[in-house]
Amino acid sequence: EIVMTQSPATLSVSPGERETLSCRASQSVGSNLAWYQQKPGQAPRLLIYGASTRATGIPARFSGSGSGTEFTLTISSLQSEDFAVYYCQQYNDWGEWTFGQGTKVEI
Amino acid sequence: QITLKESGRTLVKPTQTLTLTCSFSGFSLTTGGVGVGWIRQPPGKALEWVALVYWDDDKRYSPSLKTRLTITKDTSENLVVLIMTNLDPVDTATYYCVYSQGSRTAPGAIDYWGQGTLVTVSS
């Protein structure tokens, strides 16, 4: 089983700042890495797939990069609506998905 | 427009069996590459993949839950059913039904999520 490790667990930031979240895979997942945003009481929402492709309707301030085992999600200028928990997920193994433990972005 | 909705008992006693149904619309589970799965999330904790069924009836289960799970699909009714046996309080979680599309050479991420249903395991 591929283990996904996210860091940090919590990020305390101010609106307008640029922040980078990290995700590491225990073995290569190629570019089969997605990022999701989850707000309290809501289902997660797909932000990035293929490590760097924004999903439909996702603002350009969200960007993803990386391949293999190291990945990052960057939010270029944090807006109030971006305070949430962010999860990475590998889907490289057909029919076996794993998620990271999440990074909470708080004010 | 793709939608998924979970239904089932929300309060289950320990050792009992849980049956969850995912009703979906906007796609067919006979289309090549389509998969419908279940993700769960204990209160205040991270997401955990549970099970998946693909258009060709390929079924996959979380290794840690495999012995307790059965997933089936009904393509005529647009339903996916998850059965989990021998429930324990640690199975208390919100269970999400999800949609993915890809191929064995180019797997897909989770494009759509249901709203989730909170299942509580308690005596």
Side-chain angles (χ1 to χ4, degrees), chain A residues 1 32 34 36 38 42-44 46 49 87 89 91-92 94-97 99-101, chain B residues 39 41 45-47 49 52 54-55 58 60 96 103-104 107-111 113-114:
Chain A
E1 179 179 324
N32 293 316
Y36 302 88
Q38 187 178 33
Q42 296 184 16
L46 177 64
Y49 64 93
Y87 293 96
Q89 177 225 2
Y91 51 94
N92 189 59
W94 179 256
E96 188 165 331
W97 297 337
F99 291 88
Q101 292 303 299
Chain B
I39 308 292
Q41 184 174 39
K45 296 189 178 180
L47 302 166
W49 169 65
L52 264 173
Y54 289 102
W55 82 101
D58 182 6
R60 302 299 178 103
Y96 295 100
S103 69
R104 285 181 171 79
I110 300 170
D111 299 299
W113 298 67

Side-chain angles (χ1 to χ4, degrees), chain B:
Chain B
Q1 178 188 5
I2 289 177
T3 63
L4 308 105
K5 187 172 183 179
E6 308 86 353
S7 62
R9 288 170 59 194
T10 56
L11 180 61
V12 182
K13 289 181 167 48
T15 75
Q16 288 187 336
T17 294
L18 172 69
T19 300
L20 291 174
T21 299
C22 175
S23 304
F24 58 84
S25 64
F27 67 94
S28 172
L29 201 35
T30 61
T31 301
V34 172
V36 173
W38 292 90
I39 308 292
R40 72 179 184 177
Q41 184 174 39
K45 296 189 178 180
L47 302 166
E48 178 185 19
W49 169 65
V50 175
L52 264 173
V53 61
Y54 289 102
W55 82 101
D56 58 0
D57 212 34
D58 182 6
K59 299 172 183 178
R60 302 299 178 103
Y61 300 103
S62 165
S64 63
L65 300 170
K66 185 175 185 176
T67 60
R68 300 167 50 209
L69 297 175
T70 303
I71 190 169
T72 61
K73 63 182 174 64
D74 183 334
T75 54
S76 61
E77 297 290 331
N78 285 351
L79 298 173
V80 168
V81 176
L82 178 74
I83 298 171
M84 180 181 293
T85 61
N86 194 24
L87 259 70
D88 183 272
V90 300
D91 297 311
T92 294
T94 296
Y95 286 75
Y96 295 100
C97 178
V98 300
Y99 165 96
S100 176
Q101 183 168 19
S103 69
R104 285 181 171 79
T105 55
I110 300 170
D111 299 299
Y112 296 93
W113 298 67
Q115 64 189 19
T117 186
L118 175 61
V119 175
T120 302
V121 183
S122 173
S123 55

